[in-house]
Amino acid sequence: MSAIQAAWPSGTECIAKYNFHGTAEQDLPFCKGDVLTIVAVTKDPNWYKAKNKVGREGIIPANYVQKREGVKAGTKLSLMPWFHGKITREQAERLLYPPETGLFLVRESTNYPGDYTLCVSCEGKVEHYRIMYHASKLSIDEEVYFENLMQLVEHYTTDADGLCTRLIKPKVMEGTVAAQDEFYRSGWALNMKELKLLQTIGKGEFGDVMLGDYRGNKVAVKCIKNDATAQAFLAEASVMTQLRHSNLVQLLGVIVEEKGGLYIVTEYMAKGSLVDYLRSRGRSVLGGDCLLKFSLDVCEAMEYLEGNNFVHRDLAARNVLVSEDNVAKVSDFGLTKEASSTQDTGKLPVKWTAPEALREKKFSTKSDVWSFGILLWEIYSFGRVPYPRIPLKDVVPRVEKGYKMDAPDGCPPAVYEVMKNCWHLDAATRPTFLQLREQLEHIRTHELHL
């Protein structure tokens, strides 16, 4: 025990596994599920000095808490680890060998495209049940209907209901990890019973963003219902477990419901997206110091991502949120990936994406720098859409010939220089985020922003 504990440095976040009431005056009581930060190791390796969310410090028992870890990069999380996609009947039977009653998997039906097959091992042989997809619902017996595969599997796990046996043990697809298990293991699983959903504050193609209450604190909750969409959002949640910075929207935890719902719980940003904030306040309210502060907030978050080898890929004022006390924080990590990977460019926002990323799918910190230049232009134009009066189809050809947008009205020349540096066609000549932050701080120190 003590050997492991010695490795927890000051600043480590951990989550309480049990309630601790404390007996001595110096103890810090906490409840199961509380997040605590280690302040220091004590002489006794079984106890830590820690602080809670409101900053109160005290002594805690090491074996009552679990270190919060980032989900390891490259971990293939699945909401349906028992789903094996397009495999044949014979392949399914081989996977369910040696026979074990209740061992099961789901595959795509080979005979009925669009349907699925539930394959269950029972008393030495494998039964194959056709899952019919009809009127957006799934059913095996045309008596009970389900919204998605997860609901169906959950139902037959608790009750055989006409099958040869109830579903006992999933045959996990090789290379995947059950999402719920991984979030629980790494200390990010929250309890649905402690979350109250209050009102809708945003709608996306994926589902709603709601204002919630988690243990008495306001939170924002992405509620993702559809299993295919939820699967895509797992990647965003797992990236967020690895990132910690005061200018990044902070993940608080994840709830994976048995019946297929996914809830991503983050800190609540009371003033909404930066683009809406700029448009609704405008020039009369927001001075040059405020615009520069937002620019620096975003730049510091991006410098942190750069230092940790993450590429955001979708940096824009719509994906920056503003807190109650006017701090800008980068959000929407749906496209954020380790720097090496490529992606499909079908859905990319053309006006914000660097030419080499659109042309050759080359994403890097340098393509994020290009997007940061566009975001600066959005900040200083108070939320205008970039490339005004240029038809969308003409933007890329003009940009590739070297066209750069003019400075927004009233934009300080020093800030416009920074924008133009971000828009070098040759990615290698663009500055790093570290250099950009230094330039913006120089502008602030010498009051070149007013």
Side-chain angles (χ1 to χ4, degrees):
M1 184 71 182
S2 55
I4 298 168
Q5 296 306 337
W8 289 11
S10 169
T12 299
E13 253 191 14
C14 49
I15 194 158
K17 295 191 288 185
Y18 317 102
N19 295 333
F20 173 63
H21 301 298
T23 48
E25 199 180 320
Q26 74 264 34
D27 289 349
L28 176 65
F30 52 78
C31 297
K32 181 180 175 180
D34 284 356
V35 174
L36 304 157
T37 306
I38 302 300
V39 175
V41 187
T42 66
K43 287 194 177 76
D44 182 342
N46 297 311
W47 295 84
Y48 270 115
K49 187 175 185 187
K51 67 177 177 189
N52 63 15
K53 232 172 50 191
V54 294
R56 187 178 158 199
E57 294 190 359
I59 304 298
I60 64 164
N63 58 348
Y64 273 49
V65 292
Q66 171 192 356
K67 182 179 175 183
R68 266 193 155 176
E69 298 173 15
V71 172
K72 289 181 188 65
T75 305
K76 212 170 159 203
L77 297 185
S78 176
L79 290 169
M80 305 185 291
W82 33 258
F83 181 65
H84 289 247
K86 275 196 169 91
I87 60 169
T88 64
R89 183 186 183 103
E90 293 71 33
Q91 285 171 308
E93 291 181 357
R94 278 203 296 278
L95 286 167
L96 296 175
Y97 187 87
E100 184 182 339
T101 294
L103 185 67
F104 73 94
L105 62 81
V106 178
R107 60 185 173 87
E108 287 179 38
S109 171
T110 38
N111 299 336
Y112 303 96
D115 289 355
Y116 300 100
T117 306
L118 171 63
C119 312
V120 192
S121 177
C122 185
E123 295 177 3
K125 60 196 230 307
V126 175
E127 300 289 347
H128 299 264
Y129 297 93
R130 179 181 169 194
I131 303 173
M132 287 162 286
Y133 184 72
H134 179 68
S136 299
K137 295 270 198 293
L138 299 169
S139 181
I140 288 177
D141 54 13
E142 297 191 73
E143 285 177 21
V144 195
Y145 286 87
F146 303 94
E147 296 285 334
N148 57 40
L149 286 173
M150 284 180 278
Q151 279 184 17
L152 180 141
V153 165
E154 163 78 359
H155 174 77
Y156 290 107
T157 304
T158 50
D159 184 353
D161 196 11
L163 303 186
C164 58
T165 169
R166 72 181 185 85
L167 307 180
I168 297 168
K169 183 179 169 187
K171 176 67 185 178
V172 173
M173 185 176 171
E174 202 175 329
T176 61
V177 178
Q180 200 165 7
D181 297 349
E182 180 57 21
F183 286 125
Y184 192 79
R185 183 202 67 76
S186 55
W188 291 95
L190 299 183
N191 188 342
M192 190 69 197
K193 293 190 182 84
E194 298 192 80
L195 177 67
K196 289 192 204 76
L197 297 173
L198 304 174
Q199 67 189 73
T200 305
I201 50 176
K203 284 191 179 297
E205 315 159 19
F206 59 84
D208 293 341
V209 179
M210 297 193 73
L211 171 63
D213 179 294
Y214 191 76
R215 304 174 129 216
N217 296 301
K218 278 186 178 176
V219 294
V221 188
K222 273 186 182 171
C223 309
I224 301 133
K225 289 283 187 257
N226 171 318
D227 40 9
T229 317
Q231 183 62 47
F233 272 89
L234 282 179
E236 172 168 0
S238 62
V239 163
M240 290 181 81
T241 66
Q242 301 169 58
L243 304 172
R244 272 292 187 298
H245 190 276
S246 55
N247 294 111
L248 293 176
V249 172
Q250 182 58 53
L251 177 72
L252 302 176
V254 180
I255 297 167
V256 180
E257 263 198 324
E258 295 291 346
K259 295 186 173 63
L262 176 68
Y263 300 86
I264 299 178
V265 184
T266 64
E267 63 179 311
Y268 172 60
M269 302 291 281
K271 294 186 177 174
S273 83
L274 178 59
V275 73
D276 293 338
Y277 185 84
L278 292 163
R279 286 172 184 170
S280 60
R281 307 304 191 283
R283 208 175 294 273
S284 56
V285 179
L286 304 175
D289 49 351
C290 185
L291 300 182
L292 189 71
K293 184 188 170 299
F294 285 149
S295 308
L296 264 162
D297 284 348
V298 175
C299 193
E300 286 181 25
M302 296 308 297
E303 183 186 350
Y304 168 83
L305 290 184
E306 172 178 76
N308 285 279
N309 210 26
F310 279 97
V311 180
H312 189 285
R313 301 168 176 236
D314 197 10
L315 185 60
R318 64 182 170 276
N319 289 336
V320 174
L321 301 177
V322 182
S323 71
E324 182 62 59
D325 51 357
N326 281 0
V327 177
K329 303 193 184 195
V330 174
S331 77
D332 273 277
F333 300 98
L335 298 178
T336 303
K337 299 225 174 38
E338 290 270 324
S340 57
S341 52
T342 58
Q343 87 172 48
D344 170 38
T345 49
K347 287 189 168 176
L348 289 172
V350 169
K351 291 183 173 186
W352 283 263
T353 306
E356 74 278 3
L358 289 171
R359 193 176 54 242
E360 301 154 44
K361 302 188 182 181
K362 270 195 186 162
F363 288 86
S364 64
T365 291
K366 298 295 195 181
S367 56
D368 277 350
V369 166
W370 178 286
S371 307
F372 179 70
I374 304 290
L375 183 141
L376 278 181
W377 190 91
E378 289 183 276
I379 290 174
Y380 280 86
S381 66
F382 296 90
R384 286 186 75 186
V385 176
Y387 302 100
R389 297 182 295 282
I390 299 178
L392 186 60
K393 65 177 176 36
D394 297 341
V395 170
V396 176
R398 288 189 61 176
V399 164
E400 294 204 314
K401 288 196 182 99
Y403 173 78
K404 291 182 172 70
M405 284 187 282
D406 292 335
D409 287 347
C411 173
V415 175
Y416 183 52
E417 280 307 310
V418 175
M419 286 178 208
K420 287 194 295 188
N421 287 338
C422 295
W423 299 332
H424 282 296
L425 286 177
D426 174 11
T429 58
R430 293 174 206 151
T432 63
F433 280 108
L434 168 65
Q435 290 166 328
L436 287 166
R437 177 179 56 76
E438 287 170 347
Q439 287 166 13
L440 293 171
E441 283 181 342
H442 176 83
I443 288 168
R444 180 167 65 183
T445 310
H446 294 81
E447 300 199 341
L448 304 172
H449 60 287
L450 302 170

